[in-house]
Amino acid sequence: NEETVRLIRDDPGCQVVVATVAFGQGFNIRVLLDSIMLGVPQTLAQTLQQAGRVVRDQTSNGRAVVFAQNSAYKSAEKYLAQEPARRTQTNATKTLAAMSTNKALMLTIKTCLIAFINKTYGNTGENALLDCIMAERQLPCSNCLPRFVGPLFFPPSSLPIGALPPPLFLPANQARRPVSTSAPNSGHKLNKAMRARADADLRRFRDTVHKAERERVSHGYTPASSYFPNPTISAILDQFFAIATVETIKLIIPKWKHYERHGLTLYLLVNNLQGTFLAEFEAARLEKNAKARAKRREERLEEEGMDEEFEGSPSEPEEQPQVVPARPVTTTRKRPALDDATNEQPKAKRSRVPLEKAAAVSASFRPQYVPRKRGGSCESGKFSIIMYSALLRRYYIPPPQTLFVLQSHLHLPPLRHHQMTPLQ
């Protein structure tokens, strides 16, 4: 809106404007001198459009800087290596789909960039197609800069009448974070749950600092996060157990401007959390050791029980390595050549048993004895066991049918159950 444009144009405290690509269209602010683009724009025209938002006054010097990633250069080289007919195919990869011929040439060209842009858009002029050195341009491009001889001066933008110049941006001296190896608690490290709890307490401490400083001095619309920034909280959490004194906090976060008034309170908060976390570490250590002792006790009892169970039992003989006998060498010779030993005497042949006749073989399957009768009447049910066996062998009758055979062939009277006992 108009108020934002006025602040960018007239406020001397506004030195940097952070915006999206939408800032490159429709803004005509003459005090902007440098354009810094994070990443290569999609096309060459978009690159020139964003670079053209600065140095709208022809009497000023400005710069357009593009931070290009390495993958952009590789994609440009791969794109130009293809045939012209394949560069516009729809099945190209996602990386190459965002590449164009002019963009690829801008990234890979080794000659003057300004001459390349003039040739691409057909700019005519006496020195349009010459490089920066031959055309004697006041400001060279990045490709011609190594061959440029002369001073490069970029004066700051003009300030409103009566405005004080802003402080210079000097490089900050980054203090090295101390790693105190002599601290008694340096061996511990915050786990995920402890870090979350400590982070929540430090953020509540930030709200306390914000309220105290806002009541003391009016800071306008300064956000609460600026009183105790997130990088400061992360630095304290990273070196949490190394904080042993108040001075250690100043070494860890040297840029915290509220250290003089709130440094001691911060140290007491960290010290209280250290005591709580150390007590939890000690409880966890004792519980772990107790579980380890119980496990060792169970293993020892199991071993003792096995020893009592197998006590007195003969120990198994130790297994000896199996000796494989050497395989004898076979040969087709009866005896070695040039051997004086004579052949052994042939062994006596066993006499062959003459074959039996067929009648004798058949008779061997018949009963080898003739049943004979003994004294006693058949009606009384008294007969020899031999006769019973002979009947079974002759007729091959199973035992359940024995009673029927005796009745039918010997004409026995019906036998009762107690009279069958001798036969069974």
Side-chain angles (χ1 to χ4, degrees):
N1 52 29
E2 296 180 359
E3 181 64 19
T4 303
V5 174
R6 187 191 65 79
L7 292 175
I8 296 175
R9 183 179 62 246
D10 301 334
D11 189 0
C14 181
Q15 297 293 311
V16 178
V17 178
V18 181
T20 61
V21 294
F23 190 78
Q25 299 177 0
F27 283 92
N28 187 11
I29 302 176
R30 296 179 178 273
V31 295
L32 298 178
L33 299 180
D34 297 326
S35 173
I36 301 176
M37 289 165 274
L38 184 60
V40 183
Q42 295 183 358
T43 60
L44 177 61
Q46 187 175 354
T47 304
L48 298 177
Q49 180 71 16
Q50 296 180 17
R53 294 306 95 197
V54 298
V55 200
R56 307 295 292 180
D57 186 4
Q58 299 296 330
T59 61
S60 303
N61 295 336
R63 291 162 291 189
V65 181
V66 179
F67 285 96
Q69 58 271 35
N70 293 330
S71 59
Y73 291 101
K74 295 180 182 179
S75 300
E77 295 175 356
K78 188 175 181 180
Y79 180 84
L80 295 176
Q82 296 179 353
E83 298 179 0
R86 297 188 57 186
R87 295 176 185 176
T88 58
Q89 290 182 355
T90 57
N91 58 352
T93 60
K94 183 178 180 180
T95 306
L96 298 181
M99 187 66 62
S100 61
T101 304
N102 293 335
K103 180 180 177 180
L105 292 175
M106 179 188 66
L107 292 172
T108 58
I109 193 171
K110 303 300 181 182
T111 58
C112 181
L113 286 173
I114 299 178
F116 165 73
I117 294 173
N118 292 333
K119 181 180 179 180
T120 302
Y121 290 97
N123 297 333
T124 59
E126 184 180 358
N127 299 328
L129 301 181
L130 299 179
D131 59 5
C132 298
I133 306 301
M134 297 181 63
E136 298 181 355
R137 295 188 180 97
Q138 183 179 358
L139 297 177
C141 65
S142 57
N143 291 345
C144 299
L145 182 60
R147 299 183 290 116
F148 181 77
V149 179
L152 291 177
F153 181 66
F154 297 94
S157 58
S158 60
L159 298 176
I161 300 175
L164 298 177
L168 298 178
F169 288 95
L170 299 177
N173 296 326
Q174 295 290 340
R176 185 178 181 183
R177 294 180 180 178
V179 181
S180 178
T181 56
S182 60
N185 304 330
S186 60
H188 298 283
K189 186 178 180 180
L190 291 176
N191 55 30
K192 188 176 181 179
M194 293 180 179
R195 190 180 181 93
R197 290 163 53 187
D199 183 82
D201 291 346
L202 292 176
R203 292 182 184 277
R204 284 192 291 268
F205 170 76
R206 177 172 65 186
D207 297 337
T208 304
V209 175
H210 176 219
K211 293 179 181 179
E213 292 297 322
R214 186 177 57 183
E215 294 176 357
R216 192 180 67 88
V217 179
S218 177
H219 292 276
Y221 296 98
T222 305
S225 59
S226 62
Y227 292 92
F228 199 62
N230 292 334
T232 304
I233 296 177
S234 300
I236 293 177
L237 294 177
D238 294 340
Q239 303 290 334
F240 191 79
F241 287 104
I243 300 176
T245 60
V246 184
E247 290 75 12
T248 311
I249 295 180
K250 189 174 183 180
L251 294 176
I252 295 176
I253 48 176
K255 294 183 179 181
W256 188 40
K257 58 183 179 180
H258 303 289
Y259 168 79
E260 299 297 334
R261 290 181 297 274
H262 303 281
L264 180 60
T265 307
L266 177 60
Y267 169 72
L268 294 177
L269 173 62
V270 173
N271 191 19
N272 186 20
L273 291 175
Q274 285 179 353
T276 304
F277 294 157
L278 289 176
E280 295 180 3
F281 279 128
E282 183 66 17
R285 186 185 67 84
L286 295 177
E287 183 180 0
K288 182 179 179 181
N289 293 342
K291 291 182 179 179
R293 287 194 299 269
K295 185 177 180 180
R296 289 194 298 267
R297 188 183 303 108
E298 292 178 359
E299 294 177 354
R300 185 169 61 253
L301 292 177
E302 291 179 359
E303 293 178 358
E304 292 178 358
M306 293 178 62
D307 295 341
E308 293 178 358
E309 181 180 354
F310 294 99
E311 186 177 0
S313 59
S315 59
E316 297 182 0
E318 184 178 357
E319 184 179 1
Q320 299 294 335
Q322 184 178 3
V323 180
V324 181
R327 188 174 181 180
V329 180
T330 57
T331 179
T332 56
R333 288 178 175 270
K334 294 182 178 179
R335 59 184 177 85
L338 303 179
D339 191 359
D340 297 336
T342 58
N343 294 333
E344 297 180 357
Q345 295 294 333
K347 296 182 180 180
K349 296 182 179 180
R350 292 185 300 176
S351 58
R352 300 180 62 180
V353 180
L355 298 177
E356 297 182 359
K357 295 183 179 181
V361 174
S362 300
S364 62
F365 290 93
R366 296 177 182 176
Q368 299 297 327
Y369 49 85
V370 179
R372 53 178 180 152
K373 297 182 179 180
R374 291 195 176 188
S377 174
C378 292
E379 296 180 357
S380 62
K382 297 179 181 180
F383 48 88
S384 175
I385 297 299
I386 299 176
M387 179 181 178
Y388 165 72
S389 302
L391 289 174
L392 291 179
R393 292 189 60 185
R394 183 174 181 180
Y395 294 99
Y396 301 97
I397 300 173
Q401 302 179 5
T402 302
L403 180 60
F404 173 76
V405 172
L406 293 177
Q407 292 178 354
S408 59
H409 290 273
L410 301 180
H411 304 285
L412 295 176
L415 300 178
R416 296 183 180 181
H417 180 71
H418 68 276
Q419 295 176 341
M420 293 173 61
T421 303
L423 295 178
Q424 292 176 356

